[in-house]
Amino acid sequence: MAEGSRPSPLAFGQVVIGPPGSGKSTYCQAMGAFLAHLGRSVAVVNLDPANEALPGPCALDIGELVTLADVMGSLGLGPNGGLLYCMEYLEANADWLRERLRALRGHYLLFDCPGQVELYTHHQALKNVFAQLAKWDFRLAAVHLVDSHYCTDPGKFISVLCTSLSTMLHVELPHVNVLSKMDLIEHYGKLAFNLDYYTEVLDLSYLVDHLASDPFFRNFRRLNEKLVEVIEDYSLVSFVPLNVQDKQSMRQVMQAVDKANGYSFGDREQRSLEALMSAAVGADFHFSSTLAVQEKYVQSQDKAVEEEVMDL
């Protein structure tokens, strides 16, 4: 093979993490189709041993190595303990993973990971697997999916912020937090603040005050204040809204991830000024990305009010 025709030694991709039901598998399939439409060679890698009904094609499945059902049956473990064992088994058999990934060199990889929160907050096995991938010249970004319905409950949203911060500090990868299922947010209830308040994680003291209006949470005001202080002191958590059915929304998430793992600045796509500028997203990007979703949300609320008035 000629020197100039050799593929780049670097491989780029995303590790898609988040709690159960946040839409990780759906995201992997939707993002894979979106990137393939743009001309990238994409491969989905399933690292969830409990995921027996994959929603789409998968280039590599951890089920070839170990499954949760087999572990639970042979070792008598429950679902949580079984998942931890599976990840430790994957870490111990890293050579198997490396050998299978060699066949996918040259592809942009989407790793569909398990949904157990402990794996990303304090357990070491999956973190060590990510570290091995980095040593094998995989340039990855963690895409942390959070269901947008948590925005409608201030107490749950503070919990989500703490989990997201803990995950960012533990996983030690470039990180993009995503509010998934934004197309369903109007079904979850009315937001106490504008959407950009939640995506940009603005002054959380307003959230504590809002919680204090509830008699149950009033007794925990001091605790909530301290949790909010920790989140604001680190000043790391923010979210990108996502609707997998909206191409513009998918593009905005893609740009945020491409900036995080360095794909935009690599040699796999034209390094035009326009591409670099579109990837160099900051506050303006988050404002524009949330503005479109916010407009749709407000329109749906206005329509609901109009229908109520008509009924009267």
Side-chain angles (χ1 to χ4, degrees), residues 120-169:
Y120 314 113
T121 56
H122 57 273
H123 196 259
Q124 296 293 321
L126 204 51
K127 172 185 175 180
N128 293 338
V129 171
F130 296 158
Q132 279 291 342
L133 290 170
K135 292 180 181 178
W136 300 336
D137 289 326
F138 287 89
R139 296 296 177 260
L140 304 174
V143 178
H144 183 217
L145 298 184
V146 175
D147 198 315
S148 61
H149 85 267
Y150 290 118
C151 295
T152 61
D153 187 318
K156 291 181 180 178
F157 187 65
I158 291 179
S159 176
V160 161
L161 292 174
C162 292
T163 302
S164 298
L165 177 61
S166 178
T167 300
M168 295 175 75
L169 297 175

Side-chain angles (χ1 to χ4, degrees), residues 54-71:
L54 297 172
C58 182
L60 174 60
D61 187 0
I62 191 178
E64 301 172 14
L65 176 70
V66 63
T67 67
L68 179 61
D70 289 343
V71 169

Side-chain angles (χ1 to χ4, degrees), residues 15-266:
V15 292
V16 184
I17 62 179
S22 57
K24 295 183 296 297
S25 296
T26 300
Y27 169 87
C28 286
Q29 296 301 323
M31 182 58 74
F34 182 78
L35 294 176
H37 183 72
L38 296 179
R40 300 190 194 181
S41 297
V42 183
V44 176
V45 177
N46 177 43
L47 291 185
D48 185 359
N51 199 349
E52 298 178 351
L54 297 172
C58 182
L60 174 60
D61 187 0
I62 191 178
E64 301 172 14
L65 176 70
V66 63
T67 67
L68 179 61
D70 289 343
V71 169
M72 292 173 62
S74 60
L75 299 181
L77 296 173
N80 291 337
L83 269 175
L84 296 181
Y85 179 89
C86 288
M87 293 301 101
E88 292 172 353
Y89 191 79
L90 175 63
E91 179 188 3
N93 291 273
D95 290 341
W96 173 88
L97 180 62
R98 186 176 192 179
E99 185 64 28
R100 295 299 190 277
L101 289 175
R102 281 177 180 167
L104 300 177
R105 214 63 175 182
H107 288 73
Y108 186 96
L109 300 179
L110 297 170
F111 293 88
D112 187 358
C113 298
Q116 193 171 2
V117 176
E118 300 97 295
L119 292 171
Y120 314 113
T121 56
H122 57 273
H123 196 259
Q124 296 293 321
L126 204 51
K127 172 185 175 180
N128 293 338
V129 171
F130 296 158
Q132 279 291 342
L133 290 170
K135 292 180 181 178
W136 300 336
D137 289 326
F138 287 89
R139 296 296 177 260
L140 304 174
V143 178
H144 183 217
L145 298 184
V146 175
D147 198 315
S148 61
H149 85 267
Y150 290 118
C151 295
T152 61
D153 187 318
K156 291 181 180 178
F157 187 65
I158 291 179
S159 176
V160 161
L161 292 174
C162 292
T163 302
S164 298
L165 177 61
S166 178
T167 300
M168 295 175 75
L169 297 175
H170 181 73
V171 172
E172 296 182 347
L173 283 176
H175 207 96
V176 178
N177 292 304
V178 174
L179 282 178
S180 63
K181 306 179 184 178
M182 290 303 300
D183 52 318
L184 302 176
I185 191 170
E186 64 267 19
H187 301 301
Y188 297 140
K190 189 175 182 180
L191 298 180
F193 306 98
N194 287 337
L195 186 61
D196 58 351
Y197 177 87
Y198 300 93
T199 57
E200 294 300 320
V201 189
L202 301 174
D203 188 350
L204 295 178
S205 62
Y206 293 106
L207 204 62
V208 174
D209 292 338
H210 186 73
L211 269 175
S213 63
D214 187 319
F216 176 79
F217 287 104
R218 191 175 299 139
N219 297 326
F220 301 97
R221 182 185 180 100
R222 185 63 176 165
L223 173 61
N224 289 326
E225 287 176 344
K226 290 301 180 182
L227 291 174
V228 162
E229 285 180 12
V230 171
I231 296 166
E232 292 185 329
D233 284 348
Y234 278 95
S235 190
L236 290 176
V237 184
S238 63
F239 295 94
V240 181
L242 172 66
N243 173 7
V244 295
Q245 299 177 4
D246 181 18
K247 291 182 179 179
Q248 179 62 18
S249 177
M250 293 289 288
R251 176 175 173 270
Q252 290 165 345
V253 173
M254 178 199 72
Q255 290 175 330
V257 176
D258 283 353
K259 181 188 176 184
N261 64 13
Y263 185 94
S264 295
F265 310 101

Side-chain angles (χ1 to χ4, degrees), residues 259-281:
K259 181 188 176 184
N261 64 13
Y263 185 94
S264 295
F265 310 101
D267 57 358
R268 292 179 177 268
E269 291 181 349
Q270 270 193 320
R271 299 179 55 181
S272 65
L273 179 62
E274 180 181 354
L276 295 179
M277 291 302 293
S278 65
V281 291

